[in-house]
Amino acid sequence: MGRVVREVFGESEAAGRLRVPVAAWRWATGSGLVPAADVGPGRWSRAVVEAADPEAVRAALRGIEAGVAADRLTEALGVPLPILRPRVTASAVGHLVRAGLLVYLGGDPQFPVVHPDQVGALARRRDLPAVLDRHVPLGPEQAAVRLGVRRSDFDQVVRLGWLAPVATVEIDYKHHGGVTTVPLYDAQEIALLEVVRPFVDWRAVRTVCAGRRSPLASLTPLVSGEDWVLLAEVARIARVGRAAVVNWRRRHPDFPDPVAGTDVHPQFDRRAVVAWLLVHDKIGVPTGPTIAALVLAGPGGATHRFRLDDPWLALADDAAGEDTLSGWSTDDDADAITALAAGEFGASLRRLTATGTGPLAVPGEVRVIDRFRSGSGGLRLTLAWPAGLRGTAGSGLAGGVVRHGLAYAGSGGTCVCARYDCGGVVPVSWCAEHGDAVGPVLEWHPGGGIRCTDLSRSRGLAAVAGRAD
């Protein structure tokens, strides 16, 4: 009886035929070094297998453990790690493999061996935070970090019925209780909580002191899963007016149908509405905190760069008031900022770049007024300075406040300096009236600050009154 010639190969048979490790064949097929399975899932024809170059397949294989891959992905999220981002764990690498984002090369499927080049490519993706939220569920401790709250506050979220486990995992704590079943929660749903529950003061929840009662404890849990919203609440979630939601409902036949209420005041399932808003790009999934970048200078003049996560900038309306800036910081940065501002005249804010305002600067008197340690371990730092000193930052990366000068003597026709609404100028060296060779007496104020705004308003009112006369 003649020997049967194999015509179809699984991955083990294909690796054996080429005399390479199975992991090498897996990577070769996953990376495109050899064609994809052409007979069926995980099955190749004899022609494909024999056409492969064994040496090239063997040489392409390099593997790293799941823990190493997790560390590289964590580093890619930012150094230091943003306040609302838990570390990527080895088990997260297993979820990424199951999602098809990494090729399984061997080992425990929950903590697989993967290829470093593929991990590097994933780490370079700009949407890495969104990828992790979409494919990697979180345990309760990680979920609390992702939400930026204490573990007890996250337990309140679960008690209220706002989140339910999507899976479970068994963890062996050895001498600390043995095998324990731990629930896993959808990271994207966690990230969306702040969007879909706009009635909650999440800043208060995140900054509640350790040992204090959670602000969520007084809220009533959902009854029988009835999480229903009116059109006004849908508008709050989408940050639009109620009329816009009414218009969406009329124009889009796939808008969710009411589940309760009346024709005048219909009620909708919150989960269905949120799904619709996501599909139609009416809301987005927050991938992490916003960031404020600071350039501070101490009494010696040397500048230092810092970062505050989830910044909150409150600008006073009056020159006699005080501006404040708070945000999550690392201990090292908080110590460095405190040291810079400890002098008699405080620190100078050379440049602040934050969401919601143009770059601004303060020439002095910046000081630290609060260091708050939250129950989740984060450190929130608050800076303050006199509002009258705040102004527009210079265009250079080093910053520095732009100063406008008001000449005590009226300008003639030879001035070539740029003139601003407040009546001030920023002298250029070659100006015959305000340049270096003249050195005129000027009354200085921060450009773009409160003083500048007041002067601009006064000049505008005077011009209007002149035209009326």
Side-chain angles (χ1 to χ4, degrees), residues 341-437:
E344 181 180 357
F345 301 104
S348 293
L349 181 57
R350 301 285 298 171
R351 186 179 183 89
L352 167 64
T353 306
T355 302
T357 184
L360 58 87
V362 182
E365 300 188 41
V366 177
R367 62 195 186 282
V368 177
I369 62 170
D370 187 41
R371 290 175 63 135
F372 167 79
R373 179 76 66 181
S374 75
S376 59
L379 176 63
R380 194 165 185 90
L381 198 68
T382 302
L383 309 177
W385 56 82
L389 294 180
R390 179 227 316 154
T392 300
S395 57
L397 292 178
V401 68
V402 174
R403 297 194 305 160
H404 290 178
L406 287 170
Y408 285 96
S411 298
T414 60
C415 176
V416 295
C417 302
R419 193 165 300 279
Y420 295 86
D421 292 341
C422 63
V425 298
V426 178
V428 294
S429 60
W430 59 88
C431 180
E433 294 187 45
H434 304 110
D436 296 341

Side-chain angles (χ1 to χ4, degrees), residues 16-346:
R17 181 73 177 85
L18 297 180
R19 297 184 180 180
V20 300
V22 173
W25 179 259
R26 287 174 181 159
W27 174 245
T29 57
S31 63
L33 184 61
V34 299
D38 60 336
V39 177
R43 299 173 71 79
W44 291 262
S45 66
R46 182 183 186 86
V48 168
V49 174
E50 292 188 344
D53 181 351
E55 292 304 320
V57 170
R58 188 180 293 108
L61 176 63
R62 289 184 294 126
I64 55 174
E65 300 293 330
V68 177
D71 289 342
R72 294 185 183 181
L73 293 175
T74 298
E75 184 178 356
L77 290 174
V79 180
L81 194 65
I83 186 66
L84 301 185
R85 277 285 162 194
R87 293 186 62 84
V88 182
T89 63
S91 62
V93 176
H95 287 289
L96 294 173
V97 167
R98 288 188 284 278
L101 295 166
L102 295 173
V103 174
Y104 171 73
L105 299 183
D108 186 340
Q110 188 175 353
F111 310 105
V113 175
V114 291
H115 200 283
D117 291 350
Q118 198 172 30
V119 173
L122 183 59
R124 289 190 295 272
R125 288 180 57 162
R126 298 185 65 179
D127 64 340
L128 175 62
V131 168
L132 294 172
D133 281 344
R134 193 157 52 245
H135 297 292
V136 180
L138 302 176
E141 296 292 345
Q142 292 176 303
V145 173
R146 181 68 183 89
L147 194 54
V149 301
R150 302 174 301 182
R151 168 63 191 275
S152 59
D153 296 305
F154 180 76
D155 291 341
Q156 291 288 345
V157 169
V158 176
R159 176 190 70 85
L160 291 168
W162 295 351
L163 287 176
V166 295
T168 59
V169 64
E170 291 188 346
I171 298 179
D172 189 353
Y173 287 104
K174 305 297 182 184
H175 303 296
H176 300 281
V179 177
T180 301
T181 301
V182 177
L184 298 177
Y185 299 88
D186 187 293
Q188 184 166 284
E189 287 191 12
I190 295 169
L192 275 169
L193 272 174
E194 192 170 355
V195 176
V196 304
R197 310 281 172 179
F199 56 86
V200 176
D201 186 350
W202 290 104
R203 187 172 300 277
V205 176
R206 287 184 178 131
T207 56
V208 63
C209 295
R212 293 295 184 93
R213 187 168 182 260
S214 170
L216 301 174
S218 60
L219 300 181
T220 304
L222 298 176
V223 178
S224 303
E226 296 178 355
D227 194 6
W228 299 341
V229 293
L230 295 167
L231 288 174
E233 181 73 1
V234 178
R236 288 187 65 189
I237 293 173
R239 297 185 178 183
V240 297
R242 184 181 182 278
V245 180
V246 172
N247 190 40
W248 294 342
R249 187 184 175 200
R250 183 174 62 251
R251 291 176 53 195
H252 296 277
D254 62 336
F255 193 91
D257 294 326
V259 294
T262 65
D263 291 340
V264 178
H265 299 291
Q267 293 181 312
F268 303 85
D269 180 77
R270 187 188 301 266
R271 186 178 294 272
V273 166
V274 169
W276 187 90
L277 293 173
L278 284 170
V279 168
H280 289 266
D281 293 326
K282 305 300 184 184
I283 61 173
V285 180
T287 56
T290 55
I291 293 173
L294 296 82
V295 180
L296 283 179
T303 60
H304 303 266
R305 298 182 183 276
F306 301 98
R307 183 184 96 187
L308 292 180
D309 289 343
D310 191 25
W312 183 261
L313 178 63
L315 300 179
D317 296 325
D318 190 287
E322 189 172 64
D323 299 336
T324 59
L325 170 69
S326 66
W328 300 102
S329 173
T330 64
D331 288 283
D332 289 343
D333 278 359
D335 290 342
I337 292 173
T338 302
L340 283 174
E344 181 180 357
F345 301 104

